[in-house]
């Protein structure tokens, strides 16, 4: 039962380095979402992608953050020149194709720590 | 509405009792609502969903009630078990066209089940 997969599960980066977070959606899912979660808080939407397209990036910081979902391979959330405030859990979710239910299935998350 | 960094509300119940978790959503145009459960260190897990043309939906041990007049959603868990201890989030989708499946998340409620 291959659910949404994320790697790495834990990532430590020093200030100024780059962080790359990967997400493989469930089989047959072509919609991917990225969320950020700080301790004791809810999820904050970042970006919604379909294959090779960014549908909604209204939650992405204007600088240093980018996301892609190529035709082949996983979706990537990239954070350049990380700062301590980027430390958080980053969750990826996917949903099925078509106009059916919009329920999203989540991966286990990547916990980013910036030292 | 979105989390604003406050401490999560907490609900404490005895094992075997029924639990009711409440959520006030933000947009009267929202068309679809979901409840998620998040255990410590894990990604959110889908529990149950409901569309705006319904006011009640039942699952296994869970019931979701929707009151559109006051923009209120509740999750009822019957015979609460220790394994139900988690943070529960409601989420809403406002795009009736189905083109944007972005979910807006509530603050979350921490449920603690006492044995």
């Amino acid at each position: 039962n291959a659910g949404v997969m994320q790697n790495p599960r834990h990532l430590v980066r020093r200030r100024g380095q780059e962080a790359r977070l990967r997400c493989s959606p469930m089989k047959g899912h072509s919609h991917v979402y990225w969320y950020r979660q700080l301790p004791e808080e809810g999820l904050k939407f970042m970006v919604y992608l379909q294959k090779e397209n960014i549908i909604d990036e209204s939650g992405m910081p204007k600088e240093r953050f980018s996301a892609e979902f190529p035709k082949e391979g996983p979706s990537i959330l990239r954070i350049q020149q990380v700062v301590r405030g980027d430390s958080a859990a980053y969750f990826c979710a996917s949903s099925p194709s078509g106009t059916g239910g919009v329920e999203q299935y989540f991966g286990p998350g990547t916990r980013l720590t910036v030292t | 509405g979105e989390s604003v960094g406050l401490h999560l509300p907490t609900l404490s119940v005895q094992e075997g009792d029924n639990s009711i978790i409440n959520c006030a959503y933000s947009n009267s145009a929202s068309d679809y609502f979901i409840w998620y459960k998040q255990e410590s260190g894990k990604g959110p897990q889908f529990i149950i969903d409901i569309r705006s043309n319904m006011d009640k939906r039942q699952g296994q041990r869970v019931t979701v009630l929707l009151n559109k007049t006051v923009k209120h959603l509740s999750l009822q868990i019957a015979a609460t078990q220790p394994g139900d201890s988690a943070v529960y989030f409601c989420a809403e989708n406002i795009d009736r066209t189905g083109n944007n499946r972005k979910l807006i998340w509530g603050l979350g409620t921490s449920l603690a089940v006492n044995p």
Side-chain angles (χ1 to χ4, degrees):
Chain A
N1 180 16
V4 177
M5 300 179 68
Q6 290 187 250
N7 68 80
R9 293 293 307 276
H10 300 274
L11 182 61
V12 180
R13 285 287 178 265
R14 292 183 179 152
R15 279 181 296 171
Q17 291 184 320
E18 178 179 289
R20 280 185 180 240
L21 287 62
R22 294 174 185 78
C23 169
S24 297
M26 287 180 69
K27 186 176 181 180
H29 289 192
S30 61
H31 303 260
V32 166
Y33 314 79
W34 285 94
Y35 295 87
R36 176 163 62 179
Q37 186 178 37
L38 296 173
E40 297 290 309
E41 293 191 12
L43 277 72
K44 296 285 183 68
F45 169 80
M46 300 181 73
V47 63
Y48 162 33
L49 311 104
Q50 294 181 26
K51 285 283 188 181
E52 300 184 281
N53 285 308
I54 296 175
I55 307 302
D56 184 335
E57 57 181 344
S58 57
M60 288 280 271
K62 299 299 181 187
E63 298 177 348
R64 299 188 300 109
F65 285 72
S66 62
E68 62 176 5
F69 188 18
K71 185 176 181 181
E72 300 292 337
S75 176
I76 305 288
L77 178 67
R78 182 184 179 201
I79 310 173
Q80 295 177 290
Q81 299 175 326
V82 296
V83 301
R84 287 209 172 123
D86 296 332
S87 295
Y90 292 83
F91 290 97
C92 167
S94 70
S95 66
S97 308
T99 57
V102 298
E103 64 269 23
Q104 297 174 15
Y105 298 88
F106 283 80
T110 293
R111 278 151 187 82
L112 173 65
T113 302
V114 180
T115 62
Chain B
E2 292 192 19
S3 164
V4 292
L6 303 174
H7 290 293
L8 293 174
T10 299
L11 174 65
S12 184
V13 300
Q14 290 297 124
E15 181 178 356
D17 287 353
N18 296 333
S19 303
I20 300 177
I21 301 171
N22 296 304
C23 176
Y25 62 91
S26 58
N27 195 318
S28 56
S30 290
D31 183 47
Y32 179 74
F33 306 87
I34 310 178
W35 279 100
Y36 283 92
K37 170 187 179 184
Q38 187 178 27
E39 296 174 273
S40 181
K42 296 183 179 180
Q45 176 185 1
F46 173 88
I47 301 174
I48 191 168
D49 58 1
I50 188 168
R51 292 205 171 272
S52 60
N53 61 353
M54 304 172 68
D55 54 21
K56 180 179 180 179
R57 191 168 187 214
Q58 288 184 294
Q60 186 177 13
R61 278 204 309 121
V62 295
T63 302
V64 56
L65 299 177
L66 174 62
N67 186 330
K68 295 182 285 294
T69 303
V70 295
K71 294 190 290 185
H72 183 268
L73 199 64
S74 69
L75 177 71
Q76 300 178 2
I77 304 174
T80 313
Q81 302 168 0
D84 294 327
S85 294
V87 177
Y88 289 80
F89 294 95
C90 66
E92 59 187 299
N93 174 264
I94 64 171
D95 184 358
R96 291 175 181 271
T97 69
N99 293 325
N100 190 335
R101 302 179 177 197
K102 177 177 72 176
L103 292 176
I104 306 299
W105 290 68
L107 177 63
T109 296
S110 178
L111 175 66
V113 181
N114 304 313

